[in-house]
């Protein structure tokens, strides 16, 4: 179809806007990657950094040689993998009954769960609750308090509601119970939304650091983002990496950049495998309320 002048102008403006947004989002990543692979003089040079003009792997070597960084990496992987898996299981067990019309008072239960999205106890009551549950200095404090994120659970519930009820009825005629229907019929049909929610949960777990500050004092149970914060924000290079890691204050910028890249790359590797489900799962899960 032939486009009108207004449509051509709108399309041009849209392309320019998207291009600018892509540049704004991609440049910081290229800048950090370039600085992490640059020599100290090049890393501290004022101006645009799109690629390392003087390649130097010292920053990466110093970061990868530190035991604390690998301890944090292992704890972050555990938190992300186990937390995401358990979150999907618990969300499914919660969302499925709320999506069935025959559940008594399901609207009341839904409203009570929705209430938690808007009102919370705050930091102090939450801290007291965590302490009373004996979760202080435990890796499970990363997972259990946020096991069922309300918004994600409601998205999953809406998706379950869009699945034809006839599938469930035919399965019950064949003798299947609710658990078997959920795991053999409903969840296999929900791969797009489950992949989307898994990505949300994984990114949330991987980037989280505040709960580590509040509830963990044992350095062997700290996550990678905690050490990243110590290095980049609080400028505690020598305390976090050790005096031998810095060697020369000139390598401060490459070490910080390499630490940031080390924390970013794992989640970037996961994202392409779930990207194809992302838009589809988000849209389908939000259609029916």
């Amino acid at each position: 179809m032939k486009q009108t002048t207004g449509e051509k102008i709108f399309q041009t403006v849209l392309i320019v806007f998207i291009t600018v947004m892509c540049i704004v989002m991609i440049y910081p990543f290229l800048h950090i990657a370039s600085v992490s692979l640059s020599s100290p003089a090049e890393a501290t040079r004022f101006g645009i950094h799109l690629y390392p003009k003087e390649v130097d792997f010292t920053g990466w070597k110093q970061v990868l040689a530190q035991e604390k960084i690998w301890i944090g990496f292992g704890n972050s992987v555990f938190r992300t993998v186990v937390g995401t898996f358990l979150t999907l299981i618990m969300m499914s067990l919660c969302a499925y009954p709320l999506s069935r019309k025959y559940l008594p008072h399901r609207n009341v239960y839904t409203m009570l769960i929705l209430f938690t999205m808007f009102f919370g106890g705050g930091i102090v009551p939450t801290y007291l609750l965590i302490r009373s549950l004996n979760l202080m200095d435990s890796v499970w404090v990363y997972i259990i308090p946020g096991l069922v994120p309300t918004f994600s659970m409601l998205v999953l519930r809406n998706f379950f509601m869009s699945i034809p009820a006839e599938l469930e009825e035919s399965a019950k005629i064949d003798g299947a119970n609710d658990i078997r229907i959920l795991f053999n019929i409903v969840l296999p049909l929900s791969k797009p939304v489950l992949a989307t929610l898994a990505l949300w949960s994984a990114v949330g777990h991987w980037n989280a650091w505040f709960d580590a500050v509040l509830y963990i004092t044992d350095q062997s149970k700290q996550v990678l983002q905690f050490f990243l914060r110590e290095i980049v924000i609080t400028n505690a290079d020598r305390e976090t990496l050790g005096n031998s890691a810095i060697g020369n204050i000139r390598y401060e910028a490459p070490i910080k950049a390499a630490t940031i890249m080390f924390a970013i790359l794992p989640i970037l590797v996961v994202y392409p495998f779930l990207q194809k489900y992302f838009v589809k799962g988000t849209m389908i899960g939000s259609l029916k309320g």
Side-chain angles (χ1 to χ4, degrees):
M1 295 179 63
K2 187 177 180 180
Q3 291 182 327
T4 64
T5 304
E7 290 175 338
K8 291 181 180 179
I9 294 175
F10 174 77
Q11 191 174 48
T12 302
V13 172
L14 186 61
I15 292 174
V16 171
F17 175 76
I18 293 176
T19 302
V20 172
M21 291 301 296
C22 288
I23 295 174
V24 169
M25 294 178 184
I26 293 175
Y27 173 69
F29 178 81
L30 295 178
H31 175 84
I32 295 298
S34 174
V35 172
S36 70
L37 295 172
S38 297
S39 63
E42 175 63 21
T44 55
R45 175 182 60 84
F46 180 79
I48 296 177
H49 294 259
L50 294 178
Y51 61 92
K53 296 181 179 180
E54 299 177 7
V55 178
D56 189 340
F57 293 97
T58 302
W60 276 97
K61 290 178 181 178
Q62 299 290 1
V63 170
L64 296 179
Q66 300 311 307
E67 182 181 0
K68 288 185 177 182
I69 295 297
W70 288 106
I71 291 175
F73 178 81
N75 291 331
S76 290
V77 170
F78 171 83
R79 172 180 187 164
T80 301
V81 174
V82 176
T84 299
F85 175 76
L86 293 180
T87 292
L88 291 178
I89 294 296
M90 296 303 297
M91 282 197 304
S92 300
L93 294 177
C94 183
Y96 178 68
L98 291 176
S99 68
R100 301 301 93 181
K101 294 181 179 180
Y102 54 79
L103 176 70
H105 312 297
R106 69 168 185 147
N107 290 332
V108 176
Y109 299 142
T110 302
M111 291 303 299
L112 291 175
I113 294 174
L114 184 64
F115 182 84
T116 63
M117 285 184 60
F118 305 103
F119 302 96
I123 294 180
V124 174
T126 302
Y127 180 88
L128 296 176
L129 175 63
I130 295 299
R131 189 175 65 177
S132 66
L133 294 175
N134 294 323
L135 290 176
M136 299 293 293
D137 262 341
S138 170
V139 293
W140 294 106
V141 76
Y142 297 138
I143 299 172
I144 294 178
L147 201 56
V148 184
T150 305
F151 178 77
S152 297
M153 190 277 295
L154 293 176
V155 171
L156 186 60
R157 165 188 171 271
N158 293 343
F159 186 91
F160 287 166
M161 291 174 66
S162 67
I163 297 177
E166 291 77 12
L167 292 176
E168 181 180 351
E169 293 172 358
S170 61
K172 286 187 175 181
I173 292 176
D174 293 334
N177 56 25
D178 289 324
I179 296 296
R180 186 167 184 178
I181 292 172
L182 173 61
F183 286 96
N184 290 2
I185 297 177
V186 176
L187 292 183
L189 294 174
S190 306
K191 289 181 180 179
V193 71
L194 288 175
T196 301
L197 298 180
L199 180 62
W200 290 355
S201 178
V203 171
H205 277 297
W206 186 263
N207 290 333
W209 60 272
F210 191 58
D211 48 4
V213 174
L214 290 178
Y215 309 126
I216 302 295
T217 57
D218 188 350
Q219 293 289 303
S220 65
K221 297 177 182 178
Q222 290 288 2
V223 293
L224 179 61
Q225 303 300 332
F226 174 83
F227 295 115
L228 174 63
R229 175 179 175 272
E230 291 294 306
I231 295 172
V232 176
I233 298 180
T234 64
N235 202 27
D237 302 83
R238 286 175 170 77
E239 290 76 5
T240 303
L241 293 177
N243 292 321
S244 60
I246 300 300
N248 194 314
I249 194 64
R250 296 184 302 115
Y251 283 97
E252 180 180 349
I255 287 176
K256 289 183 177 182
T259 307
I260 294 173
M261 290 300 301
F262 184 74
I264 292 175
L265 288 177
I267 206 68
L268 288 181
V269 173
V270 174
Y271 181 77
F273 296 99
L274 301 177
Q275 182 183 13
K276 61 181 179 180
Y277 298 108
F278 189 77
V279 175
K280 181 180 179 182
T282 305
M283 294 301 296
I284 294 178
S286 61
L287 288 179
K288 188 173 181 181

